[in-house]
Amino acid sequence: MVNRAVRYVLPAVALLCLGACREGNAPAAGPGSADTRATKAESAAYGRYEEPVVMRIGFKVPDSRLNTGDSNDNNPISRYLESLTNIKVIHSWEAKGEEPFTQKAQLAIDSNDLPDAMVVDRDQLKKLIDSEMIADLTGTYKEYGSELIKDMYDSTQGEALEDATRNGRLYGLPNVAIHADSPSLLWVRQDWLDRLELAAPRSFEDIEAIAKAFIEQDPDGNGKRDTVGLSAYNNIVYGTKPHVNGLDSLFSALHAFPTNWIRDSRGNIVYGSITPETKEALGKLAGWYKRGLIDPDFALYKETQEPIISGKAGMFFGPWWMPYYPLSEAVALDTKAEWRAYAAPLDASGKFVTHMAPVTDRYLVVRQGYEHPEAVVKLLNVFTRLERRRDPNLEAVRSLDDFSAQTGIQPRAYYPFDLLIDYADAIEKHYTDMQQALNGKIDPDSLDPDTHLLYDLWLADEEQPKKNLEGWKAANAYKYGVSVLSATAIERVRSVYYGSTQHMRSHWPELQKLESETFLNIIVGDSPLSEFDLFVAKWKSLGGDAITQEVAQIVRSRDADTQRTE
């Protein structure tokens, strides 16, 4: 197995030597040179305060538990960040889980009792800007944002920062959605496929045939009819960023995009859940369920991944990172299991179609009047550099790696803000660079630290497959998930609008409940397909038409503003 500690030393030393070690006779940088300006910029980004700075935050408590006598605001990660910055982070309040955190943030907004900094969603950002409760970060970001952070935002072609901008002023530091996280691939038990001598899936018909064989032909060889074809999610689709068992790809292949706002063939803005294409997809799924091709119990599982982990399921949909979870759990229980990913089903013209997640959906904001808005940017710089394996403090990083190895706790769990930033195309780039190194086209030591670690894990798993499941996760996610994304021409469809409107605030929960119940009832056969038409009519009358008009108006205004600035 590759020695991880040694691996981290080499790139960091190389980074430190980039300027000083290239040429012994290089001329000294002049006062106004680019090198001097860059040094000043990085000093502003990473410079330590002489006197302590206090920052009160709202903290999202992770699922992991500290069992080392530490606390959420006093642990090896928080102490390390404070040692670098001299910023003392105090938790004004804490909340565990996405929904409780959002609720606490909303309460802070409604009561006008904001911490100095916190992460908010799109609708909360809008309210904070409208109410003039948060700081304008335009100049602060420009002066104190690190080169790494700025490069990552630039990788979105300006979309991420634009999403947090109003009238040319920046009011939040956004996360960045990874392009690779949007498509949902078909993951298949390859050992079952090979045992039954079945071809790789491409079409709807292929998936049907494989599901039927997995149910009827005893693919696990235990002499029992106890396997299922296609596993599924009881809410049917995720709609934006996919997760395990979502059936989004089946809809996308029929050019149906439920829960997304899209343009129809005439250019009109429509809600994707009420289109004829969505009805067609529901009809197909209802037919599959009736024939037993979809897990008959999919709506009953407390945790949707149960049949995958237990080894009952032979196929499911999910993003490229499924080997991290739940497949790592499944393989731990059955090391003979071999999973492969496929870009399927293709649409009628042979294209792989997917909807895309919004470029960003969370924003780090600073309370209006906080004396040190730059401290928020500095903290973001420091923990992003650490997360991306660019931190030059080698001994301290090794200590954090040891802490993580001993406790199973990733440092990111205790960063002050739940806001990870990376290059939009980071996953594909890691894969491409790894392939160059694996094929001898570039020196592995030229890889960036993130990619070199993945390269090491790939080689280790090749040498001793499944011996170390931590390494197996990364190796298989890239070997079989990202490789498919990199080799597939993908037709990407973006929603034209994310966020809420005035009518959504009062009508959306009822409309969502109506939608999810209708879709599930049609698929499991409790309602006929004709119920879809009644659903559409009811959806429109209960506020859907008014919401559609609001969305259309917002999009028209936005497009007009864009045209004026071009």
Side-chain angles (χ1 to χ4, degrees), residues 4 8 11-12 15 42 45-46 75-85 146-149 152 377-404 409-417 419-423 430 448-451 453:
R4 291 181 59 180
Y8 292 140
L15 287 171
E42 290 303 278
Y46 296 110
N75 52 68
I77 297 96
S78 68
R79 290 193 290 269
Y80 176 59
L81 298 178
E82 184 175 348
S83 73
L84 290 181
T85 62
S146 68
E147 182 179 352
L148 178 62
I149 291 284
M152 289 174 176
V377 182
K378 282 174 172 283
L379 269 179
L380 181 64
N381 293 337
V382 169
F383 72 70
T384 301
R385 181 179 68 175
L386 175 63
E387 180 67 22
R388 300 277 76 90
R389 309 304 308 189
R390 308 295 178 91
D391 192 320
N393 302 293
L394 309 180
E395 286 298 326
V397 172
R398 273 196 290 270
S399 294
L400 290 179
D401 286 339
D402 291 342
F403 169 79
S404 182
I409 295 172
Q410 295 298 318
R412 69 181 66 177
Y414 289 94
Y415 294 159
F417 308 111
L419 195 88
L420 293 182
I421 302 176
D422 204 343
Y423 294 96
H430 290 326
D448 68 70
D450 275 345
T451 309
L453 174 58

Side-chain angles (χ1 to χ4, degrees), residues 239-402:
T240 50
K241 190 176 290 186
H243 210 288
V244 60
N245 274 336
L247 301 178
D248 303 60
S249 290
L250 294 170
F251 285 83
S252 295
L254 294 171
H255 294 208
F257 305 98
T259 80
N260 286 262
W261 293 95
I262 59 173
R263 295 185 190 274
D264 64 15
S265 58
R266 294 172 294 178
N268 297 320
I269 290 174
V270 297
Y271 184 56
S273 297
I274 66 170
T275 64
E277 292 84 358
T278 294
K279 180 180 181 180
E280 180 185 2
L282 289 172
K284 182 175 285 293
L285 290 171
W288 283 9
Y289 184 84
K290 186 176 182 179
R291 294 165 57 193
L293 304 182
I294 296 175
D295 184 352
D297 297 325
F298 85 91
L300 304 177
Y301 292 115
K302 184 176 180 181
E303 300 290 342
T304 187
Q305 66 273 10
E306 284 181 34
I308 300 168
I309 294 175
S310 67
K312 287 178 58 179
M315 284 189 296
F316 73 97
F317 287 96
W320 67 273
W321 49 267
M322 290 291 93
Y324 285 96
Y325 186 83
L327 292 185
S328 58
E329 300 287 332
V331 170
L333 293 174
D334 179 6
T335 57
K336 298 187 299 297
E338 294 288 344
W339 288 90
R340 300 291 183 269
Y342 296 93
L346 305 179
D347 72 358
S349 62
K351 295 178 181 177
F352 184 64
V353 183
T354 187
H355 60 66
M356 297 296 289
V359 68
T360 182
D361 58 7
R362 295 195 304 282
Y363 313 83
L364 176 56
V365 299
V366 180
R367 174 179 60 81
Q368 178 72 272
Y370 177 51
E371 293 180 353
H372 294 284
E374 78 287 346
V376 179
V377 182
K378 282 174 172 283
L379 269 179
L380 181 64
N381 293 337
V382 169
F383 72 70
T384 301
R385 181 179 68 175
L386 175 63
E387 180 67 22
R388 300 277 76 90
R389 309 304 308 189
R390 308 295 178 91
D391 192 320
N393 302 293
L394 309 180
E395 286 298 326
V397 172
R398 273 196 290 270
S399 294
L400 290 179
D401 286 339
D402 291 342

Side-chain angles (χ1 to χ4, degrees), residues 41-56:
E42 290 303 278
S43 177
Y46 296 110
R48 187 178 189 273
Y49 286 103
E50 291 185 7
E51 297 295 328
V53 168
V54 174
M55 182 188 301
R56 297 163 52 252

Side-chain angles (χ1 to χ4, degrees), residues 18 20 29 33 47 95 109 200 213 247-248 268 288 291 367 464 467 500 531:
L18 280 177
S33 71
I109 295 168
L247 301 178
D248 303 60
N268 297 320
W288 283 9
R291 294 165 57 193
R367 174 179 60 81
Q464 295 180 302
K467 181 176 181 181
S500 295
E531 185 71 20

